[in-house]
Amino acid sequence: MVQNFDALRKKMVETQLIARGIKDQRVLQAMLKVPRHLFVEEALWDRSYGDYALPIGEGQTISQPYMVAVMTELLAPDKDDKVLEIGTGSGYQAAVLAELASKVCTVERIGALGMRARKVLDFLGYSNIAVRTFDGTYGWRDEAPFDGIIVTAASPEVPKPLLEQLKEGGRMVIPIGDKYLQTLMVADKKPGGAVDLKESVKCVFVPLIGAYGFKADGR
Ligand code: SAM
């Protein structure tokens, strides 16, 4: 059956985002625009606007639309901002951010996912997104500092290099907790370098694996 993806996307924005309190018009417009189905395999297209995360291969997931919206609204990127994302996955969150910020640098640990994301993002014409494959818990030193940093995998704590690479006045959104349940945290770096940490919603993400994250066996 041929799906009307524009209609599915509109319904997703209305019933999953607006109805649950997402208010930022820029975020809503971005999620109305980015064709989420293209970021998952074709067999999953008819489920790609559903209210859940979906598998993207390699044991990883594309996050639930609502979680993408919450994190993007909390980050609140400005049009002139340079944003770092750790955990490219499918590339969907990077595309949403690229609609709002001037440049998005996104890092993925698994090469096959990074390559697939790059292909979709090229197909859609996102020339303001740079994709690299390495352990993103080190940040991206050559591109630092960043106005905003978003981590889309669960971390035991805020990775120190990421805090260092965040501009004073910048903000980081990151799920902190154990492997099974996390709290979305918002870290504001004040002028002078002090960090103000606030709790947002509970969430469940796949683990951030790396030098400043969980060990490869998930511990
Ligand atoms: N933002 C993604 C999207 O829009 O599809 C979803 C991200 S998925 C929930 C988490 C991703 O983080 C996985 O693809 C995983 O391989 C990646 N990841 C885990 N540890 C990482 C690390 N140290 N550096 C970079 N990426 C990492």
Side-chain angles (χ1 to χ4, degrees):
M1 195 184 80
V2 179
Q3 294 275 13
N4 181 344
F5 292 113
D6 290 351
L8 289 179
R9 208 152 49 241
K10 190 160 179 281
K11 190 170 165 215
M12 171 192 88
V13 167
E14 284 167 358
T15 62
Q16 299 172 37
L17 310 187
I18 297 172
R20 289 203 189 110
I22 303 296
K23 291 195 173 59
D24 188 327
Q25 288 303 318
R26 296 177 69 230
V27 175
L28 295 171
Q29 285 307 316
M31 291 188 63
L32 206 49
K33 180 174 171 194
V34 178
R36 180 174 163 93
H37 60 284
L38 296 183
F39 292 85
V40 298
E41 60 177 292
E42 198 167 346
L44 296 176
W45 279 9
D46 57 348
R47 300 179 61 207
S48 60
Y49 295 94
D51 191 14
Y52 32 69
L54 283 171
I56 53 170
E58 311 287 336
Q60 307 303 321
T61 53
I62 178 174
S63 305
Q64 176 197 26
Y66 176 65
M67 191 47 63
V68 173
V70 168
M71 293 180 84
T72 311
E73 189 170 63
L74 286 171
L75 193 70
D78 192 73
K79 63 177 176 28
D80 299 321
D81 281 359
K82 186 178 191 180
V83 172
L84 173 67
E85 180 195 25
I86 308 301
T88 312
S90 68
Y92 176 69
Q93 172 78 75
V96 171
L97 290 169
E99 293 289 334
L100 305 172
S102 83
K103 179 160 188 195
V104 179
C105 299
T106 181
V107 184
E108 172 55 52
R109 179 179 160 261
I110 300 172
L113 293 180
M115 262 156 52
R116 204 190 309 145
R118 177 75 273 168
K119 267 193 195 157
V120 183
L121 294 168
D122 282 346
F123 173 74
L124 292 171
Y126 284 105
S127 55
N128 61 338
I129 302 178
V131 185
R132 292 284 183 282
T133 301
F134 56 86
D135 174 3
T137 66
Y138 288 108
W140 190 333
R141 211 161 285 280
D142 293 349
E143 290 283 356
F146 299 97
D147 300 286
I149 299 180
I150 187 167
V151 181
T152 61
S155 185
E157 57 192 13
V158 180
K160 197 162 157 263
L162 297 188
L163 262 189
E164 288 166 0
Q165 292 174 31
L166 186 62
K167 271 188 196 166
E168 290 182 11
R171 171 174 284 189
M172 185 181 335
V173 178
I174 177 169
I176 300 281
D178 59 27
K179 274 193 307 176
Y180 307 102
L181 182 68
Q182 304 92 38
T183 305
L184 201 56
M185 303 296 295
V186 179
D188 285 317
K189 190 166 176 180
K190 302 287 175 203
V195 176
D196 178 23
L197 209 56
K198 281 203 186 69
E199 289 190 9
S200 179
V201 294
K202 294 286 175 203
C203 52
V204 179
F205 278 85
V206 293
L208 180 75
I209 295 172
Y212 294 87
F214 289 102
K215 302 285 167 264
D217 62 5
R219 277 185 292 125

